[in-house]
Amino acid sequence: MTLTRRAALGLFVTGGAAVAYGGYSWSQSRGPVSEPQPLKIPPLDTGRVVGGVRNFDLTLGMDKTRFFKDLDTPTYGINGSYLGPTVKFKAGEDVRLNVRNMIGEASTLHWHGLHIPASADGGPHQVIETGASWQPTFTVKQRAGTFWYHSHMLNRTGFQVYHGLAGLIFVEDEQGTNLGLPQDYGVDDIPLVIQDRRFTRGGSFDYNLSMSDGMMGVQGNTLLVNGTVNPYFEARTDTVRLRLLNGSNARIYAFGFSDDRSFYQISSDGGLLEAPLETRSIVLAPGERADILVDVSDGKSVRLQSTTPSQTRTMGGGMMSFFMGDQTDFNVLEIRPDGSRKRAIILPETLVDLQTPDPTGSVRTRVFSLGMGMMMGGGVMTVNGRPMDINRIDEVVKAGTQEIWTIQNPTMLPHPFHIHDVQFRILDRNGALPPVAERGLKDTVLVHPREQVRLLLQFSDYTDPNSPYMYHCHNLEHEDAGMMGQFTVVA
Ligand code: C2O
Ligand code: CU
Ligand code: CU
């Protein structure tokens, strides 16, 4: 093999031999190819306050999106053709979401990461029939952080999210706002919804579940960032905050910069870390978020890139996938520092105070073992040997208690395990303390093959014996195939 890794990457970057096809070109390995485009920033929606409640209108619709020149892709969107606005909540306030479903099939909208009543959660029980509306109201009981919303329709989540039913939620609080971090939306505070997609020759999203898609989850060869292909961003400040959301159905990314510069991770799923963490690489599985700060004061263009972390590659990875045209390396975003930049910010030494997780006083330990059964014509995905049943409550927990949940992965694939209602803490991975990057608030945790991860959960308020919360694999094809269960919180 004389092809060096650098040469291979170069080939990926240009998309190999691209053939002109009408107004766009087509690459054997990449699909349609695009010139660099300015990064799209989702509109910021701060709602309108009526009688002390902040109201947001979110309409799920069907449309076409032009990701490539002269190529229309049928998509779903929220108040737009693809994805939705970034909605901004303030900690402590009451909000009402007016969700209207115009996509022509039943759907739901779930507020991922928020601690809210189960009946307002937007999971598979809060179905919005086609043409109907749903108006959940709740109090924002979060710390400052980056959350998101997406379809959670039973057995259809993968399809609906793939076509565009997702968007970001920013929660602000006073403490976070006073830290002096970049927070000028779209200027130095940049949302990045990162999703891999595969296109057909006709321009549609290619969401046909092959046997391997069903097992691995649907992974694409084209990266969309806020719905932009091959994006660049012109930085007008020396410090840029990137809010990374892995909004992909199944792909796990390791992010880093093209010149291997270090950057600071300042948050995990549920909000700020105790202190900025200097690093060169960050791994995010589907559903996970992290805010990072990158210094571009050297004025040089730099690319945020991603690879597939080696420990999560399976038989589909490596050189094998290179020859089969299965991409594992991507350019995420080119940052072009502008000539007239503002000075870099002064990074605070500490961000928030988080208690050290203390498992003493936990009332019980529950074990969740993930399973993948192979059957002709598809897989059956399970938790504790059972696929999801909407009519079965799997676990009942008591409000006001602390529990340990042990997630076991005896399968050959990694699974990002997500729990509704709570922000948990990771106690250990196979008995060892988690890396510093994972010691903050989490709602999704990647569990590797043959790994056992122990989580500490505090259940507080919002008891409802009739409305369950979900826990599930956030590989959306695994979730749709049954790797999900339900729990209620009771008094
Ligand atoms: Cu992001 Cu149950 O979902
Ligand atoms: Cu969720
Ligand atoms: Cu999974």
Side-chain angles (χ1 to χ4, degrees), residues 215-216 370-372 381 411 413-417 472-479 483:
M215 295 302 287
M216 308 283 297
L370 310 177
M372 301 177 70
M381 309 279 169
T411 76
L413 291 178
H415 301 281
F417 194 78
H472 57 90
C473 179
H474 220 289
N475 177 316
L476 299 182
E477 283 66 47
H478 293 179
E479 173 189 336
M483 198 179 283

Side-chain angles (χ1 to χ4, degrees), residues 151-370:
S151 157
H152 215 303
M153 188 67 198
L154 191 66
N155 307 131
R156 286 291 279 175
T157 298
F159 180 91
Q160 293 188 357
V161 171
Y162 203 85
H163 284 79
L165 293 189
L168 284 164
I169 300 171
F170 285 10
V171 175
E172 275 185 347
D173 66 14
E174 211 175 310
Q175 206 190 349
T177 305
N178 290 338
L179 286 168
L181 298 168
Q183 50 193 335
D184 193 353
Y185 186 76
V187 177
D188 61 8
D189 185 356
I190 313 301
L192 298 180
V193 180
I194 297 153
Q195 304 173 304
D196 59 331
R197 293 290 182 267
R198 187 177 292 274
F199 291 85
T200 67
R201 283 284 172 120
S204 301
F205 283 138
D206 188 0
Y207 192 86
N208 289 306
L209 293 184
S210 67
M211 182 74 132
S212 116
D213 290 336
M215 295 302 287
M216 308 283 297
V218 174
Q219 308 205 13
N221 54 6
T222 298
L223 210 64
L224 298 182
V225 183
N226 303 340
T228 325
V229 187
N230 202 3
Y232 66 87
F233 174 73
E234 285 174 353
R236 287 184 272 154
T237 55
D238 276 345
T239 308
V240 180
R241 176 189 199 161
L242 302 174
R243 302 206 190 213
L244 306 175
L245 160 66
N246 183 347
S248 306
N249 281 33
R251 185 178 291 280
I252 299 162
Y253 304 89
F255 297 105
F257 286 94
S258 48
D259 59 2
D260 203 33
R261 71 178 61 188
S262 69
F263 56 90
Y264 289 92
Q265 180 182 348
I266 57 167
S267 73
S268 56
D269 301 335
L272 294 166
L273 297 176
E274 290 205 281
L277 171 67
E278 188 171 12
T279 183
R280 289 192 151 73
S281 165
I282 180 169
V283 174
L284 293 180
E288 289 186 303
R289 291 89 64 207
D291 293 7
I292 64 171
L293 298 178
V294 55
D295 185 323
V296 296
S297 59
D298 65 1
K300 297 203 179 89
S301 283
V302 64
R303 269 172 288 130
L304 179 68
Q305 297 177 323
S306 76
T307 57
T308 298
S310 50
Q311 76 272 27
T312 68
R313 285 192 196 188
T314 51
M315 52 288 184
M319 286 316 277
M320 208 33 211
S321 63
F322 173 73
F323 286 116
M324 292 170 68
D326 174 17
Q327 303 295 336
T328 56
D329 300 298
F330 296 92
N331 283 331
V332 180
L333 178 69
E334 183 183 349
I335 302 176
R336 302 176 180 170
D338 181 276
S340 54
R341 291 183 314 280
K342 286 196 284 180
R343 294 237 336 265
I345 61 138
I346 297 163
L347 194 63
E349 264 170 50
T350 61
L351 299 169
V352 284
D353 236 337
L354 299 175
Q355 279 173 357
T356 308
D358 178 9
T360 58
S362 300
V363 298
R364 62 177 288 181
T365 297
R366 294 175 205 260
V367 178
F368 298 85
S369 182
L370 310 177

Side-chain angles (χ1 to χ4, degrees), residues 110 112-113 121 148 150-152 287 418 420 444 470-472 474 476 479 484:
H110 163 61
H112 178 128
D121 197 38
W148 64 306
H150 59 79
S151 157
H152 215 303
H418 168 52
H420 291 208
T444 307
M470 305 295 128
Y471 53 81
H472 57 90
H474 220 289
L476 299 182
E479 173 189 336
M484 178 154 69

Side-chain angles (χ1 to χ4, degrees), residues 125 154 386-394 482 484-486:
H125 291 271
L154 191 66
R386 297 180 298 198
M388 165 76 175
D389 178 349
I390 190 112
N391 297 313
R392 182 190 69 227
I393 305 292
D394 298 275
M484 178 154 69
Q486 317 190 75

